[in-house]
Amino acid sequence: MNRHSPSAILSILFIASIWHSSASFQLPTRPQRRLVSPRSPPRRPTPPFRLELKHVNGGGVVALVPSPIVITEGTTPTYAASHSLLRRVDELLGETLAKLAPSILESIDEQHESDVKWAESSSLPFESEGLTCDIIEYDLVSAKESTPSAQQIAIRTKESSPLLSRDEIQRLKTSAESYWNRPVELDGSSTSRFTYQRKGNSEAHLSDIVKYSQTQQPQTKHVTNLVDELLLKRVYPWVREAFLSKEEGVDARSLQLYVYDALFIRYNATEANLDDTLSKAVYNKQRRKGAGQPLHRDLGYVSVNIMLNDQSDFEGGGTFFENQILSCWNGDKLDESDDTRLKPLKPLGAGHALAHDSSDRHAGAATFEGVRDILVIFIAAAHKRDSQDTSNSLRTAPRWECAARLKSTSRTYCSNSNANNTDQLKCRILHQRLAIEQVPSDGEAWQYLGMALMEYAEVANESVLDLAVHCLEEATRYTPCDGRLHNNLGISLERLLSTSNIDEGRTLQLRERVATAYRRAVSIQSICESIGCDVGADYDRVCLNLGLYLSKQDDFMGAVDVLSRVVPQSANSGDRSLELDAESWARQRVMEDASSLLSFCRKQLS
């Protein structure tokens, strides 16, 4: 066998594989090398460890002082490990902890207050007391529907308790279509604040539909009363009883529910499939893409998804939860062959609803045929204000919202601080540290903390890289089905492997851990794609990463096997005449790199 040194081609591909993705509303992504154990803790547990805000010298200056770490009875081994890691993070942050934390937390409360005021000015009501409410009966939905004892991931209205009647659905649809067809000069719509825009998706804010209905339709036909009754007598009571009343360490009576945003969304599969520019460019063939949303988290407290048409009107669709993959774990491995039992969850029918924690990562599975209409309501919570309170003091954001905002705003906040690169990295590390303080079981915060530490290690030392790896491993305890996480863990382990102070025994161990992390990422992304989730770009990247790693180990057979998953037999460089957006262009580059590497590996086997 005539082997050539792979160093040249691999070095070029490795450079091409370093990327930084932009942050978005709710699912801020972090640097991945193309960069691209089941979650068992109770819901949003009260932290067993805490950073305390204390006033210094009575002068009103707030400092963040780490309180002594005490492992109390009942503290799980996971939390004990968390204590050790966070203590190391606090030591690394040093004075940055006390210097920046108060202003960061104040900015989060300012954002929260701004959104509450925005909601108060909208046409949608806040939760009210003393109303006669409908009784909404519901079932718990587990990660594996055939096994009710499995982890609960959502609730679903029973057949006897639809949130909307067919007549109400038709009135909503008529108002939405009237709004979509409004004259251009009457366009006063709000800008979508965090939804993913995809070809084939149409959306309208429920508040805009209501306002337009009030001004353009007779009072007997506009939908104000319908929407008020839906929220005040059905949705709010349901969310309070099923979610808020069960929160640990939270005074539910002090919180008032409101609509952070609500969207009427239409998934049009026909339109989505007519213009699949990316598939034409990368694969030079039409693929069954459909209309949907990628895996993401919402910024609210609870997301309510109401189905507005019958299943017979469309093929596909539904909500797929990342944690549904838990049912595919077999010991410490994923069984890809068993993904047929995984199906996106759907309400029972038109007018029925599915509700879940907004922080749970989920996707709008692709609608392949027909048109699917849904009403998604993002419920948030704010501390009540006494009617006599005329102060302008900021309300504190609930801890789940605080954690979500800390994760999503870290890059913007820190890049606007006029600090040097090192201090900006520390600022980002602190954001994730504070997010974990709010919700200790937030695996995404642990992941982003690990990624920020990995970047910081480039200007620090090997011990920081080791800390980054441990934080990413901690993240896998809480979000074991996040393919991005396992991909990033593989990258961090690979970097640790490249350091000089590692003995032979540890080198062999690290090599196995790198391969395991990448393979888990490949399996997870493969399952998600087979179900209809829009994860193609992440799947391509992690397959390239694993192919690169195996090539460097001279495992060309293994590299060919994994790269063949994403490089079609008739792969080509794509149609350069097509205009691509940034995402499509980046994915085309990944596919070109994967195709080149695949050709190289095949030559080594010939």
Side-chain angles (χ1 to χ4, degrees):
M1 180 162 48
N2 181 23
R3 287 188 178 177
H4 304 283
S5 171
S7 59
I9 186 171
L10 294 183
S11 62
I12 292 172
L13 290 173
F14 181 81
I15 292 171
S17 72
I18 307 298
W19 77 302
H20 294 268
S21 61
S22 60
S24 61
F25 101 77
Q26 50 232 129
L27 299 212
T29 54
R30 290 295 181 268
Q32 304 174 2
R33 165 192 160 202
R34 244 159 192 147
L35 260 184
V36 214
S37 62
R39 182 181 178 184
S40 57
R43 292 186 76 250
R44 302 187 180 106
T46 302
F49 49 88
R50 181 168 296 283
L51 294 175
E52 296 179 351
L53 286 173
K54 296 183 178 180
H55 289 275
V56 179
N57 299 327
V61 179
V62 179
L64 198 62
V65 182
S67 59
I69 295 175
V70 179
I71 308 298
T72 59
E73 184 178 354
T75 300
T76 66
T78 296
Y79 286 142
S82 301
H83 279 295
S84 176
L85 293 175
L86 294 177
R87 180 158 43 197
R88 291 173 63 186
V89 172
D90 293 345
E91 290 171 355
L92 181 150
L93 289 170
E95 63 180 16
T96 303
L97 193 67
K99 180 180 177 182
L100 293 183
S103 60
I104 290 173
L105 293 173
E106 183 178 18
S107 74
I108 296 300
D109 290 340
E110 288 173 349
Q111 294 170 39
H112 170 69
E113 189 70 31
S114 175
D115 277 343
V116 173
K117 291 186 181 302
W118 182 90
E120 288 173 340
S121 67
S122 79
S123 57
L124 305 180
F126 276 52
E127 182 184 27
S128 297
E129 297 178 350
L131 298 176
T132 302
C133 303
D134 297 349
I135 297 175
I136 305 299
E137 296 182 334
Y138 62 91
D139 291 317
L140 299 175
V141 183
S142 65
K144 185 181 178 184
E145 290 201 76
S146 60
T147 308
S149 61
Q151 181 185 9
Q152 307 297 328
I153 57 177
I155 61 174
R156 182 164 50 195
T157 54
K158 287 188 175 182
E159 187 67 41
S160 60
S161 298
L163 294 187
L164 289 170
S165 68
R166 288 192 175 274
D167 177 65
E168 290 171 329
I169 290 172
Q170 189 56 50
R171 288 171 60 193
L172 272 177
K173 282 189 173 185
T174 299
S175 294
E177 288 166 355
S178 175
Y179 175 75
W180 276 327
N181 295 326
R182 67 195 181 282
V184 176
E185 61 269 18
L186 296 179
D187 187 2
S189 60
S190 304
T191 301
S192 178
R193 294 186 288 172
F194 59 86
T195 52
Y196 288 93
Q197 306 300 317
R198 286 292 187 273
K199 188 68 177 178
N201 296 359
S202 301
E203 65 174 40
H205 289 268
L206 183 60
S207 57
D208 290 337
I209 294 174
V210 170
K211 287 180 181 178
Y212 186 77
S213 172
Q214 291 170 344
T215 59
Q216 301 299 316
Q217 294 179 312
Q219 186 172 357
T220 54
K221 291 186 177 181
H222 68 61
V223 294
T224 304
N225 292 339
L226 188 163
V227 171
D228 285 355
E229 184 169 330
L230 170 66
L231 292 172
L232 294 172
K233 295 187 176 182
R234 304 170 200 172
V235 173
Y236 288 148
W238 187 37
V239 170
R240 176 169 288 276
E241 191 281 328
F243 291 89
L244 191 56
S245 66
K246 297 176 173 57
E247 287 288 354
E248 297 183 8
V250 173
D251 181 6
R253 295 171 299 178
S254 69
L255 294 172
Q256 183 179 27
L257 299 175
Y258 68 96
V259 175
Y260 173 78
D261 205 352
L263 295 166
F264 188 110
I265 302 176
R266 172 162 292 171
Y267 295 110
N268 189 324
T270 303
E271 185 177 343
N273 290 327
L274 282 175
D275 185 32
D276 191 357
T277 303
L278 176 60
S279 292
K280 293 175 184 175
V282 176
Y283 302 104
N284 197 28
K285 64 178 182 179
Q286 197 70 30
R287 285 176 55 182
R288 198 174 187 231
K289 183 178 180 182
Q293 301 276 12
L295 283 163
H296 64 280
R297 289 178 172 86
D298 302 327
L299 188 56
Y301 170 55
V302 170
S303 300
V304 180
N305 182 322
I306 306 175
M307 192 169 173
L308 299 180
N309 52 351
D310 294 318
Q311 177 65 58
S312 59
D313 295 342
F314 59 90
E315 177 189 344
T319 303
F320 177 74
F321 293 89
E322 187 177 72
N323 280 341
Q324 287 181 254
I325 300 175
L326 288 172
S327 62
C328 288
W329 283 99
N330 182 9
D332 63 346
K333 295 182 179 180
L334 273 172
D335 183 2
E336 287 184 63
S337 64
D338 205 16
D339 64 357
T340 54
R341 63 186 173 187
L342 296 179
K343 295 181 179 179
L345 303 180
K346 299 176 185 177
L348 293 181
H352 283 275
L354 190 74
H356 60 89
D357 284 340
S358 297
S359 60
D360 284 346
R361 199 159 177 251
H362 59 283
T367 299
F368 293 117
E369 299 290 343
V371 175
R372 172 178 170 237
D373 289 337
I374 60 172
L375 175 62
V376 183
I377 305 173
F378 303 102
I379 302 297
H383 288 282
K384 297 176 183 176
R385 267 210 172 118
D386 189 284
S387 58
Q388 305 301 317
D389 184 4
T390 58
S391 69
N392 292 320
S393 59
L394 296 175
R395 282 171 282 198
T396 303
R399 65 171 183 259
W400 51 82
E401 180 183 330
C402 184
R405 291 187 184 276
L406 284 164
K407 291 184 294 181
S408 66
T409 61
S410 66
R411 284 183 176 274
T412 302
Y413 182 96
C414 299
S415 63
N416 292 336
S417 64
N418 295 319
N420 59 42
N421 185 57
T422 300
D423 287 342
Q424 286 187 30
L425 284 170
K426 280 192 172 183
C427 173
R428 285 170 48 203
I429 291 169
L430 177 56
H431 270 76
Q432 308 312 325
R433 169 65 179 94
L434 292 172
I436 293 168
E437 164 66 15
Q438 298 295 322
V439 182
S441 60
D442 191 332
E444 189 171 58
W446 279 103
Q447 179 183 180
Y448 293 168
L449 175 60
M451 295 306 295
L453 286 167
M454 191 162 75
E455 284 191 61
Y456 187 72
E458 296 176 6
V459 297
N461 52 52
E462 183 183 333
S463 65
V464 177
L465 181 57
D466 180 73
L467 177 58
V469 169
H470 279 88
C471 287
L472 290 170
E473 289 177 330
E474 185 72 11
T476 64
R477 296 175 182 268
Y478 304 110
T479 51
C481 301
D482 187 337
R484 306 166 308 163
L485 168 58
H486 291 284
N487 182 45
N488 290 337
L489 176 59
I491 291 161
S492 66
L493 288 167
E494 200 171 351
R495 289 188 180 177
L496 191 61
L497 185 61
S498 66
T499 59
S500 57
N501 300 323
I502 298 180
D503 59 39
E504 184 176 353
R506 193 181 181 201
T507 295
L508 294 174
Q509 182 188 55
L510 280 175
R511 285 177 179 171
E512 182 58 32
R513 289 167 66 191
V514 170
T516 297
Y518 282 145
R519 287 194 173 102
R520 283 182 177 172
V522 168
S523 294
I524 289 170
Q525 302 296 11
S526 175
I527 290 172
C528 290
E529 185 171 71
S530 69
I531 290 166
C533 298
D534 184 7
V535 296
D538 287 338
Y539 188 29
D540 296 344
R541 291 178 185 119
V542 71
C543 285
L544 175 58
N545 282 352
L546 179 55
L548 280 165
Y549 177 71
L550 294 175
S551 298
K552 288 187 287 185
Q553 308 305 313
D554 284 351
D555 182 1
F556 298 111
M557 184 71 75
V560 166
D561 180 63
V562 70
L563 292 168
S564 297
R565 285 172 171 250
V566 294
V567 178
Q569 292 182 356
S570 58
N572 57 62
S573 60
D575 186 351
R576 294 289 186 173
S577 66
L578 291 172
E579 293 186 7
L580 302 178
D581 57 24
E583 178 185 355
S584 299
W585 181 87
R587 188 174 178 190
Q588 177 167 311
R589 287 292 304 274
V590 173
M591 292 303 300
E592 290 173 354
D593 288 350
S595 180
S596 296
L597 180 58
L598 178 59
S599 296
F600 173 83
C601 292
R602 282 173 171 162
K603 288 180 181 178
Q604 309 314 303
L605 296 172
S606 60

